[in-house]
Amino acid sequence: MTTNTIALGLALAALPLPCRAQDAVYPPGVTKEIHEAIQRGLQWLARNQANDGSWRNAGGYGTYPAAMTGLAGMALIASGSTPTRGKHWRQVRRCVDFLISQQQPSGLITAPAEEAQSMYGHGFSTMFLAEVYGMEEDERRQQDLARVLAQGEALIAQAQSSNGGWSY
């Protein structure tokens, strides 16, 4: 399986779909077969999450655990799960815990020994955590997310080039 195949699976898993197949009204271009493939992708993600909450070498593919965890987390929340509700709430919660644990003193969210291009993982992780922030029901956990996001966003702003973009 290539990185492009994994990325396509994550993107498809992020499509919002109905909960009951018999009542299914799919978005334009989504067939029953595509819906079933998305569900298989979500099941694969749930089965292959590491004990620490990451997708570190899941299924034997690559590294970049912060990047993969941020992307996988986005697919899980797009399927309707939150850190406290939904079919994949446990996996979402473990994604959050892993990414928070990976934040460096600089604000960078990365698994330092495993991510050569750490700003990719930082960006995906920050995006996922920002989405989850609004879903979190526990005040203490929301405060932890707010702290991590403030530091992470400050790093993103600091890393912006004078031309307005970001380089690596």
Side-chain angles (χ1 to χ4, degrees):
M1 184 176 288
T2 66
T3 302
N4 288 340
T5 305
I6 293 169
L8 176 60
L10 291 171
L12 288 173
L15 290 173
L17 296 172
C19 296
R20 297 180 345 169
Q22 66 268 25
D23 297 334
V25 176
Y26 303 115
V30 176
T31 64
K32 179 181 180 208
E33 293 76 19
I34 291 171
H35 170 74
E36 290 170 355
I38 292 167
Q39 296 311 306
R40 287 191 306 274
L42 291 167
Q43 290 168 2
W44 185 92
L45 289 172
R47 279 192 320 271
N48 286 281
Q49 187 178 28
N51 290 336
D52 67 0
S54 73
W55 274 267
R56 177 180 272 113
N57 291 319
Y61 302 106
T63 56
Y64 294 93
M68 293 297 110
T69 301
L71 287 168
M74 290 296 290
L76 294 169
I77 62 175
S79 77
S81 293
T82 74
T84 59
R85 298 180 185 163
K87 183 176 182 178
H88 302 291
W89 75 269
R90 286 177 184 85
Q91 289 84 10
V92 172
R93 172 67 74 210
R94 289 177 22 218
C95 286
V96 171
D97 292 344
F98 172 75
L99 293 172
I100 287 174
S101 77
Q102 296 304 301
Q103 189 171 46
Q104 306 302 303
S106 66
L108 182 67
I109 302 169
T110 188
E114 300 174 79
E115 302 198 53
Q117 300 291 332
S118 57
M119 285 302 284
Y120 286 111
H122 180 75
F124 293 133
S125 298
T126 303
M127 182 172 60
F128 167 71
L129 293 174
E131 290 286 334
V132 169
Y133 175 80
M135 300 173 183
E136 183 55 64
E137 297 174 11
D138 180 283
E139 188 175 325
R140 181 190 56 79
R141 291 183 65 88
Q142 196 173 45
Q143 289 172 354
D144 289 343
L145 282 166
R147 177 189 48 77
V148 168
L149 286 167
Q151 292 173 330
E153 291 167 2
L155 178 67
I156 290 169
Q158 181 183 12
Q160 188 173 21
S161 76
S162 60
N163 293 328
W166 286 264
S167 59
Y168 304 97

